[in-house]
Amino acid sequence: MAEREERRFAQVSRESVALMAESAGVELGEEMAAVLAEDVCYRLREAAQSCSQFMKHAKRKKLTVEDFNRALRWSNVEAVCGYGAQDALPFRSGKEGELFFVDDREINLIELALATNIPKGCAETMVRVNVAYLDGKGGVELQGAVPTAVQSLSDDLLKYYQQITRAILGDDPHLMKVKSVSHDLEQLNRLLHMVRSLVQNPYLYLGSYVRSLVSSVMYCILEPLAASINPLNDHWTLRDYAALLLSNIFWTHGDLVSGLYHQILLSLQKVLSDPVRPLCSHYGAVVGLHALGWKAVEKVLFPHLPAYWANLQAVLDDYSVSNAQVKADGHKVYGAILVAVERLLKMKALSLSHPGEWCFNAQTGSLAAAVGYSSPGLSPPPESLSEAAFGIASHLQAGSGGCPWEEWAPVSLPAMYLELYSFFGDSLAVRFSTGPGLDSPPYCPSALLREPKKEALGQGSNSDTARKMPQLTANLSISPRRDGSPRTDPPPPSLAAAGPGRSLPRSSSAQRSRYSSSRSAQRLTGLPRDVFPKARFASPQNGPPTFSFVIGGRQMGQRCQGRRPFQTVFAPTPPPAAVPPRAYAHKLPVIGRVGKPVRRWTCSHYSLLLPL
Amino acid sequence: MAAVQGGMVDEKEEVDIKTEPQSDGLMNTNATDGRQLSPSPSSSSSAGSTKSAAGAPEDQQTLLAVLQFLRKNKLTESVEILRREAGLPEDALDTKGADCSAPSSGGTAGGVDGLDAGSLLSRVAVSSSAGTPAPTKAVADDQPDVSVVLSAYSQQGDPALYKVYYSDLKKFIESVLDCHRAELSQVFYPLFVHMYLELVYNNHESEAKAFFEKFSGDQECYYEDDLRVLSSLTKKEHMRGNETLLDFRTSKFVLRISRDSYQLLKRHLQERQNNQIWNIIQEHLYIDIFDGMPRSKSQIDAMSGSLAGEAKREANKAKVYYGLLKEPEIEVPLDDEDEEAENEEGKPKKKKPKKDSMGSKSKKQDPNAPLQNRIPLPELKDSDKLDKIMYMKESTKRIRLGRENLPSICFYTFLNAYQGLTAVDFTDDSSLIAGGFADSTVRVWSVTPKKLRKVKSAADLNLIDKESDDVLERIMDEKTASESKILYGHSGPVYGISFSPDRNYLLSCSEDGTVRLWSLLTFTCLVGYKGHNYPVWDTQFSPYGYYFVSGGHDRVARLWATDHYQPLRIFAGHLADVTCTRFHPNSNYVVTGSSDRTIRLWDVLTGNCVRIFTGHKGPIHTLAFSPNGKFLASGATDGRVLLWDIGHGLMVSELKGHTDTVYALRFSRDGEILASGSMDNTVRLWDAAKAFDDLETDDFTAATGHIHLQDNSQELLLGTYMSKSTPVVHLHFTRRNLLLAAGSYAA
């Protein structure tokens, strides 16, 4: 008990005292040292106590060496010399043992003496006056960004404004600028919610202020917040929500922000193409693009993907412990890209099949809702997103006349799919290939009908129907298309639609032996054997066995709720060189944290749970 | 840091020790002997065995005691039997006995031993009949060093019993009726501290620590700082250097308790024969008993928190002349504003009704005002009269502030103040600003376009035409004109500065223990007032000039006159540093805030302390009088601003909102608004008028001194104004009620 009490203070051990005595040439007995040590401790505390007084009177929050020396001097103790630093001295611990020391840099005196860049003396102390607050109602700050806008408001609006600022900022009504809200996730979240309610307020004409709202939302999406450093902070949700909000704004206020669309695309692109930016910013850019609609993804993300992929791959390939955090972030980005790209494919296919997009608004709207729902971390109500997603797309089409995007040449769906496939491999394909589920009959027929091309492969797709994926049902309506385009090309081995008979048992046996743990989860979803549809397509002539993985979401095992586990299927052995597009795909086992695919596979029994 | 009063206090301590043992007659010789001898080798060798014995279960200790008793009565057979049955080693008692006798003188060892044991046991008997199981522990403790135990016993009681006493009392207080509990709980803290200090004082280090460990958590959170100091103090020698705690020991902690509650406590202590606690209460506590309803917890909490408890009611009974002095009549060669112009508080608009409530005086003498000549004041010079006229002209343009009409705020930011800004002051007309810095300099800036100029040298002065009208202009040396001047002279951080009302002088006080008077005509140091000998934390000029007050680490405030090198008054009474000092607007009183968490109002004429305000939970760092002299505002490290009614000596309101030390307070010129500035980078405005108005409708009685504070801080808070990263060090209302704030930008 006493010992615990003792430990609340800095202690000078008797060993230290003995050592110091020795260095001073005095021999101290054990007892003497103990007594002395105790007294030294007390004096130290006393000095600390009294020096805090100097700090308080100097109206500082930081205790300085000067304060301590003053306290010593007034208690008739020699001051400690040589530590008069203004800033805190870094106190480090040595690697071995419990050794602590002040990190003292060595200074090359000669260099210092011969230095030519003599620093100027610090600027003169001066007093600067500014009118901080002009009175009136509550005192509005002049320097801030708001007041100019605020002054012209009517009384009602002014009240509204005050309510809002109070809601966002608590008691600090002048901190309107988002930047000054700084890096407090809580506050940013509050801000976003407030922006949302502003946007949704039908009685409020935001006029040109939408732009500033957009800029604050963009901040939340892209800014590498300080809070992002700590993995415990859920800044991902913030970004997701901000992205959602962005799409919301474009949907509801498309007319006001039309000019911004291009600008935002550019800035997102800039972020994405800047490798120096942290991954969380990239993530923000991707979800932002995703939120702006599949056309945006097609225009910006897709062309940029090859370049970006290399960077991401490098991150994901680094297994060092120090990289763990970054790698986790990388996976987030990966997941976001995947989601975005998949929707791109789906929507593109859909738009191809139905040039008259509008007539399917209702259906696709709900479809998009489901898609939106499946995208990682988009927590808020799906309807808004669906609206938004479509709104943007439509708005884009309608208003793209003014945008300088004409030169952009659309890539054909097959080509796009191929390229994407080369990046994502089967993880993409599987998602795509998800057969029409039992739950979603309404879409199936229409999708099939709409796709004339489909007919040839209808067989395959129909057989797919039998396979129940833990995927979203909404995916189903598009599923035919995935078979459609790529099939014509030199068949990527795993994608070949032929001969399911042989590969199926093989893969399922492999599953059984290797993925028992994931199986249990799969079983819940209904049809365990069909969980890995890719295997079916593994072309027999290509030989290499394919392995499928489940990248599980958090709610694995529950039916169709929240995030779904989506699947990746990998071909562990590199495909023949004849298949160039797969150049990247083989790398994907990375996600399995296995460097050498084949051999390690056996070890990775576990399904890979990536909280996406 | 050594105490000024340290020596005196120590002496008193010594006296205490010497007188106390005598009451115990025979035993005390042994006691003192034992104490002196205890460090001798023989006893130290036995210390080890004592430790182990102390750790053994209580029964064994009891057995030993009984054994000793038997042996003393020569019942050797019983001794043998008991020993065998208890399984005690043969020499268990013998060695201890030998040890015990060693310190005592020579051959009479056995006798003394027996006597000691006998008296000890007789006490055991007495105590056990009183119903406490603890006495056995007395034997347990340091059996070989019986004399030491006895000395402690005779003086302070058995250290091991402290816990029992305390928890016994605690149990009692927890079981009393709710209405009494809050009042009686006040006893805990002083008791705890005194018991702990007694343990420490009597060298029972481990018991003291255990005691602290067990009960420190029960104390009110606002005593945390004190407890931290206490916990570091475990040896008697430590107490010698710690003046604050010595004060605590020697001064009486004041508690206000209703008669009923007090009777309860007294009866309980007498029933339980808990003399230990009773003694402490008698010796170290002052219980201010009042008749009437016991106070509630919130009422008590509002007033407690200071180092020495609450103020006695008598302490705040003295009459205080808080009214303002009558302004001299000045012929104003101006329009028809004479009427208003004559009074200091003159309202620009003829709003007579409000005037009186806010204390601006009419022509007749205010009954609460001191006599005009109660203290001698300097006569007005022509320049002063001119300034007064200026003041009146300005005040006609004053903005009337209020809840609906808040002041604008100008922030004076000190840039590049790497050396550390420690103090700021504005002149009353806001034409100059001065900063005190940690690098010992004082800098003065001109806020107006008018630059600062020195007076010409003596030789040059001889040349000018002394009869000319603009002689005052002519004596200035145009060559020296600059926006700012630096005053060098101190050898430590400048903690306080104050302009004289006529703007000719500047006072600064510093860590070097001096107060310096600077001339703002020559920008040189005129006088260094030495007297404090320790850091001087604050100084301020009287509103009429000539006098000034300073307070510092030596725990006294001093009143000076600029033409005396020695203080005119020394205001002593605070138990810790005097951290801030302010003059009452009528110059007859001085208020001081201290780190003992009390505020004291001193009469300049008599030097007496006429008010003690308790309620702050941290050192007080700023004070401000309302312009009408009736009220006082104080700010402390606890971030709270308290408002006090000086006449009644009562707390009026508690303004909560700041999150850090409040370093600046200022009332607007007409007293409607109180501005507070803090380390938390905010300026807050409070509705002072409302706080004071509410008060007048309240039906408290000044006689009981009880206050009912409703928590209306949020209602009174009119605004919070942030600076970017600049702690607010000083606030000032211009004559037209523009609020000036100052601080140095903290990068």
Side-chain angles (χ1 to χ4, degrees), chain A residues 4-6 38 42 45 50 53 56 59 61 70 74-75 123-126 128 130 132-133 135, chain B residues 1 205 209 213 232 235 238 406 408-409 411 413 415-416 419 422 493 511 577 660 663 679 722:
Chain A
R4 190 149 54 89
E5 178 62 31
E6 206 65 61
E38 201 172 340
Y42 174 75
R45 275 173 236 152
S50 58
Q53 215 166 24
K56 277 182 198 150
K59 298 173 174 112
K61 281 181 191 166
R70 289 218 166 82
W74 283 110
S75 45
E124 203 187 329
T125 308
M126 57 195 288
R128 172 77 47 83
N130 64 310
Y133 291 93
D135 61 57
Chain B
M1 281 181 245
E205 194 178 333
K209 276 182 187 165
E213 185 80 12
S232 71
K235 293 208 181 321
H238 295 162
L406 298 178
S408 301
I409 308 175
F411 208 107
T413 312
L415 301 174
N416 306 317
Q419 66 274 52
T422 45
E511 187 245 14
D577 300 28
D660 209 329
Y663 275 119
M679 274 292 265
M722 311 260 308

Side-chain angles (χ1 to χ4, degrees), chain A residues 17-29:
Chain A
V17 171
L19 209 67
M20 283 177 229
E22 216 170 273
S23 67
V26 184
E27 198 63 42
L28 276 188

Side-chain angles (χ1 to χ4, degrees), chain B residues 91-397:
Chain B
D91 55 349
L93 201 55
D94 292 333
T95 48
K96 301 202 171 205
D99 271 343
C100 194
S101 59
S104 57
S105 53
T108 57
V112 174
D113 186 15
L115 182 66
D116 279 354
S119 50
L120 179 71
L121 286 170
S122 69
R123 273 185 173 258
V124 168
V126 170
S127 311
S128 54
S129 70
T132 39
T136 46
K137 279 199 196 151
V139 191
D141 197 79
D142 291 357
Q143 178 76 5
D145 232 336
V146 178
S147 50
V148 172
V149 178
L150 283 181
S151 79
Y153 211 130
S154 62
Q155 272 186 34
Q156 313 290 352
D158 173 12
L161 276 180
Y162 275 52
K163 271 193 205 176
V164 180
Y165 290 146
Y166 190 89
S167 43
D168 184 46
L169 185 73
K170 197 173 136 188
K171 218 176 290 164
F172 163 70
I173 290 180
E174 275 163 6
S175 68
V176 298
L177 286 177
D178 281 0
C179 60
H180 298 297
R181 192 185 305 144
E183 282 206 320
L184 292 181
S185 298
Q186 297 178 86
V187 176
F188 281 137
Y189 176 70
L191 264 188
F192 170 79
V193 176
H194 279 297
M195 290 172 88
Y196 177 77
L197 288 181
E198 271 185 13
L199 286 172
V200 170
Y201 193 81
N202 291 298
N203 294 320
H204 303 295
E205 194 178 333
S206 57
E207 284 89 351
K209 276 182 187 165
F211 183 76
F212 188 89
E213 185 80 12
K214 184 150 185 213
F215 298 113
S216 62
D218 299 346
Q219 310 305 327
E220 299 284 356
C221 55
Y222 40 78
Y223 291 122
E224 195 184 334
D225 285 349
D226 286 347
L227 291 178
R228 199 177 305 128
V229 178
L230 265 190
S231 67
S232 71
L233 183 127
T234 52
K235 293 208 181 321
K236 188 179 172 185
E237 303 85 68
H238 295 162
M239 291 176 74
R240 189 143 293 155
N242 199 323
E243 67 271 25
T244 310
L245 284 170
L246 279 176
D247 268 3
F248 192 91
R249 242 183 94 74
T250 50
S251 68
K252 289 198 168 185
F253 195 95
V254 181
L255 301 170
R256 282 194 206 166
I257 292 183
S258 71
R259 188 171 299 284
D260 291 351
S261 305
Y262 178 72
Q263 295 294 352
L264 262 179
L265 178 70
K266 194 172 166 188
R267 207 176 311 132
H268 168 77
L269 291 177
Q270 280 170 351
E271 263 170 28
R272 308 302 293 264
Q273 303 215 335
N274 202 337
N275 292 327
Q276 186 57 39
I277 287 188
W278 188 242
N279 281 344
I280 290 179
I281 290 178
Q282 297 275 302
E283 274 175 42
H284 296 298
L285 306 192
Y286 177 93
I287 297 187
D288 195 3
I289 300 163
F290 61 84
D291 294 306
M293 287 282 292
R295 292 185 296 168
S296 71
K297 177 99 176 90
S298 62
Q299 277 178 315
I300 293 167
D301 278 348
M303 300 293 286
S304 56
S306 97
L307 193 63
E310 295 182 42
K312 298 173 195 172
R313 272 171 306 150
E314 296 92 84
N316 289 339
K317 285 274 168 62
K319 165 106 176 125
V320 174
Y321 302 99
Y322 54 80
L324 302 182
L325 295 178
K326 209 163 74 175
E327 288 296 317
E329 314 233 343
I330 303 167
E331 286 303 314
V332 185
L334 279 171
D335 348 334
D336 53 346
E337 289 174 353
D338 309 34
E339 283 302 303
E340 278 85 15
E342 258 141 39
N343 56 59
E344 168 100 350
E345 288 299 306
K347 296 289 177 296
K349 294 140 208 162
K350 304 198 171 176
K351 284 185 181 167
K352 289 283 179 187
K354 192 75 186 164
K355 226 186 227 172
D356 282 0
S357 70
M358 280 319 293
S360 75
K361 341 149 297 291
S362 43
K363 288 247 180 134
K364 65 173 171 31
Q365 176 78 24
D366 182 345
N368 289 313
L371 289 178
Q372 206 71 5
N373 55 358
R374 189 164 178 266
I375 61 165
L377 291 172
E379 271 179 34
L380 283 184
K381 291 174 293 193
D382 287 350
S383 59
D384 296 334
K385 287 178 181 161
L386 269 177
D387 193 54
K388 284 255 182 286
I389 292 166
M390 279 302 296
Y391 175 84
M392 290 159 199
K393 279 166 84 180
E394 285 280 302
S395 52
T396 59
K397 294 172 186 160

